[in-house]
Amino acid sequence: MDDPLRPPRWLRIGLTTLGVIVMALLLVMPLAMVLGAAFSEGVGVWWAALTEPDARAALELTLITAAIVIPLNAFFGLATAWAVTRFEFRGKQLLLALIDLPFAVSPVVAGLCLVLLFGREGWFAPVIDRFGLEILFARPGIVLATLFITFPFVARELIPLMEQQGAEEELAARSLGAGPWQMFRRITLPNIKWALLYGVLLCGARAMGEFGAVSVVSGHIRGLTNTLPLHIEILYNEFNATAAFAVASLLAGLALVTLVVRFWLEARHGDALARTHRRH
């Protein structure tokens, strides 16, 4: 006997079919077209586009930026989640709002804010000039912009889970004589490790693909301050479409690796990861 609360079969099939069509049109087909355009002139041309000096420099800068941003945001995200879920203090709601600020503000606006802070007429210009620092149009500016944009990912994965788990196990460990580091290593970290890894994956994917904020602060200096997304834009604006799609295929490949790891995590630890999203 059919469940009266279950939607009709025709509705389930229709919605499923519609979902597949939409996914194919918006995700699969564009990706297939990028790969097709990337290899349209042969593997040799594709490889040459990836190995020329500017492309190698852009890839190196992208990976270095991600390697700096990911551990920093993992640390800051974990510290923020700990503070929000384990303590009551004035300004807690303000802190929660600030965590979501990079989601609400356009990346271009975030880049302009960095210009106002670190530009020649910015608030920190006297300090920068005094010590001869290079922030804007250099790698530090790119790292700062990427840090700002990717900050919420780790914290927003950890906060719902840590709130749901509560602090009972940690308090019990402290009452039995465990020190702060021992409590964190044996109680807190095992309970949040999959959510932490999931947040790190999202942070890394966004760090490698960030365009708007980085575009404002980079200066578009070929071979020096161009990340992969900026290098793709320059190639496309120069009507070098094949090389642009070749580099885009590399960036898409990095995203697919992240997606595969994400699916693996969800398949192996779906219950733990699902709990991180119930209160989002």
Side-chain angles (χ1 to χ4, degrees):
M1 183 175 179
D2 291 339
D3 185 351
L5 298 179
R6 191 177 185 186
R9 186 169 182 269
W10 66 267
L11 181 60
R12 299 197 305 269
I13 294 175
L15 290 177
T16 302
T17 303
L18 179 62
V20 171
I21 292 174
V22 171
M23 292 290 289
L25 290 175
L26 296 182
L27 297 177
V28 178
M29 286 186 62
L31 180 60
M33 293 178 66
V34 167
L35 294 177
F39 292 98
S40 61
E41 297 185 16
V43 177
V45 174
W46 174 83
W47 182 251
L50 297 183
T51 55
E52 59 97 12
D54 289 342
R56 292 202 310 269
L59 175 61
E60 178 186 357
L61 179 57
T62 300
L63 296 178
I64 289 175
T65 301
I68 295 172
V69 166
I70 290 172
L72 287 176
N73 271 340
F75 174 78
F76 292 137
L78 180 56
T80 303
W82 184 279
V84 168
T85 59
R86 297 298 184 260
F87 302 99
E88 293 295 332
F89 53 90
R90 280 188 173 183
K92 183 176 179 178
Q93 294 304 317
L94 176 61
L95 177 58
L96 287 171
L98 290 176
I99 292 172
D100 291 332
L101 185 62
F103 288 149
V105 175
S106 167
V108 174
V109 174
L112 290 174
C113 290
L114 291 176
V115 172
L116 292 175
L117 291 175
F118 301 104
R120 291 185 178 275
E121 304 296 330
W123 291 1
F124 300 128
V127 177
I128 293 173
D129 292 339
R130 179 178 179 182
F131 293 98
L133 302 176
E134 291 186 2
I135 305 296
L136 294 183
F137 313 132
R139 292 187 176 187
I142 295 173
V143 171
L144 287 173
T146 309
L147 270 173
F148 176 84
I149 294 299
T150 58
F151 174 77
F153 289 99
V154 175
R156 273 303 172 193
E157 289 298 321
L158 293 178
I159 289 174
L161 179 61
M162 294 178 71
E163 284 182 339
Q164 185 185 53
Q165 290 175 345
E168 289 79 9
E169 292 184 28
E170 296 162 358
L171 293 174
R174 291 299 300 271
S175 68
L176 294 173
W181 170 245
Q182 189 178 24
M183 178 192 67
F184 173 79
R185 184 169 56 88
R186 295 194 174 184
I187 304 296
T188 306
L189 187 58
N191 287 337
I192 66 170
K193 60 183 178 181
W194 299 117
L196 177 61
L197 182 56
Y198 192 77
V200 164
L201 283 173
L202 295 178
C203 175
R206 181 60 189 271
M208 289 185 291
E210 174 54 31
F211 177 84
V214 171
S215 177
V216 175
V217 302
S218 73
H220 295 269
I221 305 173
R222 300 186 75 154
L224 293 177
T225 63
N226 272 343
T227 58
L228 282 179
L230 301 183
H231 185 60
I232 293 169
E233 182 200 28
I234 286 178
L235 291 174
Y236 192 77
N237 289 338
E238 293 177 348
F239 303 101
N240 191 354
T242 301
F245 283 117
V247 180
S249 70
L250 176 61
L251 195 59
L254 294 174
L256 287 176
V257 170
T258 303
L259 194 62
V260 168
V261 176
R262 172 185 172 179
F263 286 153
W264 177 82
L265 282 176
E266 290 179 341
R268 291 287 300 273
H269 309 280
D271 293 340
L273 290 173
R275 288 194 295 269
T276 70
H277 299 97
R278 286 176 185 169
R279 298 185 61 184
H280 271 238

